[in-house]
Amino acid sequence: EFFFFFGIISCGCRTMMVCSILGCLIFCVIHYKIGKLFKAGIFSLVLFIFAMQIFPQINDYVSNIYSVFDSKSQIKGSSIEMREIQMASTFYWIKDDIAFGRGDAFFSVDLGFNSDDKRNMVDEDLQGLENVTLHYLLERGIVGTLIFYVIYLSILNFFLLNRKYAKQEADVGITLIIVFLTFGNMTGILLSYF
């Protein structure tokens, strides 16, 4: 567990920190009884506040996570404002093909995002289009995006239905699916299927 937390903290990636915190919270909420959860939450909060006072790096990480919501932040990376621009640009490109999108590899090939040369990019407002939902809307439209989510919601439903037979395994599965979808919408799926 030490190396797990060390890797998350040392990488300095907001997405990893948020997904890890979210995953731990989801697992605790669905797996433990409310009394134990409340005690663990209070203990964790006190420990976190204490750690913030001792280790200034933790303050930096909290500021780094908060910078997503601050449009005037000097920290590079995704922001809410950037996501709004990406969404507007995505809907501009699919306005005539909203049901099925613009086709496979439209983003990388047709819009020039597979090239390292920024001059080949047709629409810089997309800025890498990390969000899996927007990416699927662009290339597969509403139908393809719905199919993507139906598959994962079906897996989630499978875990929910089988909690009575294998509670811990089902709770881990539920947590992984939710964290996977969160990660995919924060930074793209990348090679995280495995």
Side-chain angles (χ1 to χ4, degrees), residues 28-67:
C28 288
V29 166
I30 62 176
H31 191 70
Y32 296 110
K33 291 188 168 68
I34 218 64
K36 287 182 183 177
L37 183 63
F38 183 72
K39 289 176 189 174
I42 296 293
F43 177 74
S44 298
L45 182 63
V46 169
L47 186 65
F48 181 72
I49 291 170
F50 182 69
M52 281 180 65
Q53 302 303 318
I54 294 175
F55 303 108
Q57 299 90 338
I58 294 176
N59 279 327
D60 295 340
Y61 290 128
V62 172
S63 298
N64 194 5
I65 291 170
Y66 171 73
S67 69

Side-chain angles (χ1 to χ4, degrees), residues 126-154:
L126 291 172
Q127 299 181 29
L129 198 63
E130 301 97 357
N131 185 315
V132 69
T133 304
L134 293 179
H135 191 97
Y136 282 6
L137 272 173
L138 181 65
E139 293 188 349
R140 299 167 186 171
I142 291 175
V143 173
T145 305
L146 285 175
I147 290 171
F148 171 79
Y149 280 105
V150 164
I151 290 169
Y152 286 101
L153 290 175
S154 298

